[in-house]
Amino acid sequence: MPTPSEAPTIVAENPSHNFPFIMSSYPITLKFVDVSYRVKLESNGSKGGSLKRMFSVGPTSSDLENSMAQIRERSILSGITGMVSPGEILAILGPSGSGKSTLLNALAGRINGHAFTGTILANNKKFSKPVLKRTGFVTQDDILYPHLTVRETLVFCARLRLPASLTTKEKTAVADAVIAELGLMKCENTIIGNTFIRGVSGGERKRVSIAHEMLINPSLLILDEPTSGLDSTAAHRLVSTLGSLAQKGKTVVTSVHQPSSRVFQMFSSVLVLSEGRCLYFGKANEAMSYFESVGFSPSFPMNPADFLLDLANGVCQVDGVSERERPNVKQTLISSYNTLLAPKVKDALCLETTTSAPKEAILSINGATHNNPPCNNNGGGFSSFLNQLTILLQRGLKERRHETFNSLRVFQVVAAALLAGAMWWHSDYLDVQDRLGLLFFISIFWGVFPSFNAAFAFSQDRAVFLKERASGMYNLPSYFLARVAGDLPMELILPTLFLSILYWMSGLKPDILAFLETLMIVLGYVVVSQGLGLALGAIIMDAKQASTVVTVTMLAFVLTGGFYVHKVPSFLGWIKYISTTFYSYKLLVFVQYGDGNGISSLLKCSSSLRHGSCKFVEQDIQAQIHPATSVAILLIMFFGYRLIAYLALRRFNKA
């Protein structure tokens, strides 16, 4: 069996050796003592049943208060203790819901508040910002942009995360070194992909997520189920990669759901959890002998990890033949651990002194050393606002161009333009009612289309945004401006194509100036409608709910836009004054027919209808609001909707 140092995927040395301009690594010994975490329950279903049982036996007031407290809160972690040193891999095992991810989040410094208790130490010192900034955290889900290649993903990340004192060329060199270190050279020009887009394999995608954190050359690397979804061979290669990183002096902590026997043997130590409580902590190769000493052993040779997970689920051998789930197994193992093993673990932690960590490492935690300046992942020491904005703009344009100009979307716009052009083919200038219908159709199409698409913008980016903000890659203003500004040029190309086809096919006012004015109105209407979608999407932050609200809002705007209904009830009349469709429609009509004076003599209406439908056509044409006022209101909406979206994101960012 190959050792971690023999892993075939590792083909380069530590990037800090090849490129001394990035942060040097120093050893961190991680200790955690009596870590506990409780959360409040949201469901009331169990509460009612529990209270009913309590009242049936007539509890005292103190019993009722205690039971209510237990109902309102649930213990996720209870007194977890352990440690891991540089060069080691600590594996956290346990069934789903045992508290593995919560413990990893606590060790990464991402959980705080009154619900969290316990002590977490780095080199016998409490966690500080320099330590947290040298901590890499790889989440369980691979949160990456699907249309970027592996190299593009890591180069953009390096440009955002590495110090501003480095040149772009140096940051790119760091990304290339990490690509080589993690064995990603064969797929560096392949897109990441997702469920619907074919890209790199699952193992390669996971290594890209690890490479995200390796760019800062972390001393402590924490991974949440990195082998989830991988086959046995891919999982072994990935853990071999982690083993190689650990041998270079890094401290690695990872949760693993169901490792193979080959993978299990690569772990230095193991922590087994069951329902938030510890069943075992110690060396991986001593786990089986410990459980045998307390009366639990398999009846036939099996994968140690499978056996430990069976015990964590309360499943054990009965009479050496069958397997049954016994509730008392977990309690027996928890009691055995608290009695036999926990005191030894705490004694071992107490025996550790600050001399166990190099002097330079301890100094680096509390402040800078001469050779090791403190890392700064976020803040003024790294990318400036303008630099962040530029990089995010470049990344956004590369990522979203595929979504904006995908074949189905282009076909939708072109097909709508051709169909409408055929319906209004060379319409007569005097067929006013038909032309008003065309202008209103344009208002409807370019009101609903961009607002509906924009409603998904922030909810789709939510996972990436939270991950990258937690890593300190950029601040909210730079992200927001890059997201909004990056969408503008792409969102304006399709409306230009649409109008270029429809305008001349339908025979609207054959004047280049009138065409340009109509185009400017449509483009302005598009960006205002997009702002409406961004605002509603940011406020709701749920794609399905936001799309529903946008649909209802645009329906109200269309109905009060001035074409379908002229005598709007007074209690609904106010809607048209906040309707983007109303102002854009009036501007489009103004370009074609001016203020409508003298248009009555041109209307092709019979005398019998002079006081009927023609009256409403005249009302449509005659300006009820000055064009300059319409333009001013649309400008206010353009900035107002985006301001609302930013404030909503700011609130979400603080939540």
Side-chain angles (χ1 to χ4, degrees):
M1 177 181 300
T3 62
S5 60
E6 298 169 345
T9 57
I10 306 301
V11 295
E13 296 179 356
N14 192 316
S16 63
H17 297 162
N18 298 329
F19 302 97
F21 44 77
I22 69 171
M23 298 170 299
S24 300
S25 179
Y26 64 86
I28 287 181
T29 298
L30 179 68
K31 300 179 183 178
F32 44 100
V33 182
D34 292 332
V35 172
S36 300
Y37 184 67
R38 302 177 68 86
V39 295
K40 291 184 178 180
L41 294 176
E42 297 181 358
S43 175
N44 295 325
S46 61
K47 180 186 294 187
S50 300
L51 290 176
K52 185 176 180 180
R53 287 191 298 270
M54 285 161 31
F55 283 121
S56 65
V57 296
T60 63
S61 60
S62 59
D63 291 335
L64 181 59
E65 288 183 18
N66 293 335
S67 300
M68 288 286 288
Q70 292 176 356
I71 292 169
R72 286 195 298 266
E73 290 187 341
R74 178 187 173 188
S75 178
I76 305 299
L77 297 173
S78 299
I80 308 301
T81 300
M83 68 172 291
V84 56
S85 302
E88 296 180 348
I89 300 179
L90 168 61
I92 302 175
L93 301 180
S96 299
S98 59
K100 300 189 300 294
S101 296
T102 304
L103 178 59
L104 291 177
N105 277 276
L107 298 181
R110 301 194 176 194
I111 292 181
N112 48 41
H114 299 294
F116 172 76
T117 58
T119 305
I120 300 177
L121 304 173
N123 293 345
N124 294 312
K125 301 289 183 180
K126 287 188 177 181
F127 259 39
S128 59
K129 287 186 178 180
V131 173
L132 291 175
K133 291 168 185 175
R134 289 184 180 271
T135 300
F137 184 76
V138 181
T139 58
Q140 181 175 350
D141 298 323
D142 300 318
I143 305 171
L144 303 166
Y145 284 112
H147 293 104
L148 296 181
T149 66
V150 170
R151 190 171 187 274
E152 287 172 343
T153 298
L154 296 178
V155 167
F156 280 124
C157 183
R159 292 175 63 187
L160 287 167
R161 297 193 72 174
L162 294 181
S165 58
L166 303 183
T167 65
T168 301
K169 184 177 180 180
E170 290 172 334
K171 293 179 180 180
T172 303
V174 174
D176 289 335
V178 171
I179 288 174
E181 185 178 19
L182 293 180
L184 293 168
M185 292 179 294
K186 292 182 179 179
C187 62
E188 63 177 336
N189 295 318
T190 305
I191 63 172
I192 300 296
N194 56 21
T195 306
F196 306 102
I197 304 170
R198 186 172 183 178
V200 297
S201 66
E204 290 168 337
R205 189 179 296 113
K206 181 59 67 176
R207 275 184 279 159
V208 173
S209 297
I210 297 175
H212 252 265
E213 304 305 318
M214 290 303 299
L215 288 170
I216 61 169
N217 196 23
S219 300
L220 173 62
L221 185 60
I222 299 175
L223 308 98
D224 190 359
E225 297 199 14
T227 60
S228 178
L230 303 182
D231 58 59
S232 177
T233 302
H236 178 260
R237 289 176 179 173
L238 182 61
V239 177
S240 296
T241 301
L242 299 179
S244 179
L245 297 176
Q247 286 188 343
K248 294 174 182 177
K250 300 187 185 302
T251 304
V252 180
V253 182
T254 179
S255 63
V256 187
H257 185 63
Q258 196 168 6
S260 65
S261 56
R262 289 195 304 167
V263 170
F264 184 84
Q265 292 180 19
M266 301 174 68
F267 299 143
S268 307
S269 52
V270 170
L271 191 153
V272 183
L273 293 179
S274 176
E275 297 180 356
R277 295 182 176 274
C278 188
L279 302 186
Y280 174 79
F281 171 75
K283 294 182 179 180
N285 55 14
E286 297 177 358
M288 297 295 286
S289 58
Y290 165 76
F291 285 108
E292 185 177 358
S293 68
V294 296
F296 295 91
S297 61
S299 59
F300 57 89
M302 63 183 300
N303 179 1
D306 291 340
F307 178 67
L308 298 182
L309 287 172
D310 283 346
L311 294 179
N313 280 298
V315 176
C316 65
Q317 298 288 330
V318 179
D319 300 328
V321 179
S322 60
E323 292 186 351
R324 296 179 185 174
E325 183 175 346
R326 298 192 301 180
N328 61 329
V329 170
K330 297 179 185 178
Q331 294 301 323
T332 301
L333 291 173
I334 291 172
S335 300
S336 299
Y337 172 79
N338 291 334
T339 304
L340 302 175
L341 204 54
K344 296 180 180 180
V345 173
K346 292 186 177 181
D347 288 343
L349 291 178
C350 293
L351 289 175
E352 293 285 335
T353 62
T354 55
T355 58
S356 63
K359 183 178 180 181
E360 295 155 1
I362 299 174
L363 290 176
S364 296
I365 292 175
N366 296 301
T369 65
H370 180 69
N371 296 323
N372 258 346
C375 167
N376 184 8
N377 277 348
N378 50 23
F382 275 52
S383 299
S384 63
F385 170 80
L386 184 59
N387 192 39
Q388 291 177 9
L389 179 61
T390 303
I391 297 170
L392 291 172
L393 262 176
Q394 293 174 356
R395 187 178 71 173
L397 289 173
K398 279 196 171 186
E399 166 62 23
R400 287 190 293 280
R401 65 186 177 185
H402 302 279
E403 178 183 347
T404 303
F405 301 114
N406 69 69
S407 56
L408 287 177
R409 193 170 183 183
V410 174
F411 171 77
Q412 180 183 11
V413 171
V414 173
L418 292 175
L419 182 60
M423 292 291 295
W424 279 278
W425 176 258
H426 287 182
S427 61
D428 194 334
Y429 178 72
L430 302 180
D431 291 332
V432 181
Q433 193 161 9
D434 283 351
R435 286 200 169 193
L436 293 180
L438 171 61
L439 298 178
F440 198 71
F441 165 75
I442 295 174
S443 298
I444 294 175
F445 189 83
W446 289 111
V448 174
F449 194 69
S451 60
F452 191 83
N453 289 329
F456 296 91
F458 295 124
S459 58
Q460 287 178 338
D461 279 358
R462 178 178 181 176
V464 177
F465 173 74
L466 290 176
K467 172 194 170 185
E468 294 182 341
R469 284 287 295 127
S471 300
M473 290 175 62
Y474 46 76
N475 53 38
L476 178 59
S478 60
Y479 162 78
F480 180 79
L481 286 179
R483 188 68 172 87
V484 172
D487 285 345
L488 285 179
M490 294 188 291
E491 291 293 338
L492 298 181
I493 293 175
L494 290 182
T496 303
L497 176 63
F498 174 89
L499 196 65
S500 299
I501 297 172
L502 177 59
Y503 192 91
W504 305 110
M505 286 184 65
S506 61
L508 290 174
K509 195 173 182 179
D511 180 64
I512 189 65
L513 181 60
F515 168 74
L516 293 177
E517 289 177 346
T518 303
L519 179 61
M520 290 299 102
I521 293 170
V522 171
L523 295 183
Y525 179 46
V526 166
V527 296
V528 171
S529 299
Q530 183 190 41
L532 173 64
L534 291 173
L536 293 176
I539 292 172
I540 300 172
M541 203 53 85
D542 180 89
K544 291 184 179 180
Q545 295 180 14
S547 61
T548 302
V549 174
V550 167
T551 302
V552 174
T553 303
M554 289 307 304
L555 178 62
F557 286 0
V558 166
L559 292 177
T560 58
F563 179 78
Y564 290 127
V565 182
H566 295 87
K567 294 183 179 181
V568 180
S570 57
F571 65 91
L572 294 176
W574 59 272
I575 298 179
K576 74 177 181 179
Y577 295 109
I578 63 171
S579 169
T580 56
T581 307
F582 173 76
Y583 296 108
S584 64
Y585 173 60
K586 292 301 178 184
L587 286 173
L588 291 174
V589 172
F590 179 79
V591 171
Q592 295 298 315
Y593 294 103
D595 57 9
N597 291 331
I599 198 67
S600 299
S601 60
L602 300 176
L603 293 177
K604 290 185 176 181
C605 294
S606 63
S607 58
S608 61
L609 296 178
R610 177 63 61 186
H611 300 291
S613 61
C614 291
K615 177 181 178 182
F616 295 128
V617 173
E618 289 181 286
Q619 289 179 358
D620 269 353
I621 296 174
Q622 292 173 349
Q624 299 178 12
I625 186 170
H626 197 277
T629 304
S630 297
V631 172
I633 293 175
L634 288 175
L635 279 174
I636 293 173
M637 289 180 175
F638 172 81
F639 291 105
Y641 285 142
R642 283 162 174 78
L643 178 61
I644 293 172
Y646 174 76
L647 295 177
L649 280 182
R650 188 177 179 183
R651 180 204 62 188
F652 171 76
N653 185 48
K654 291 180 178 179

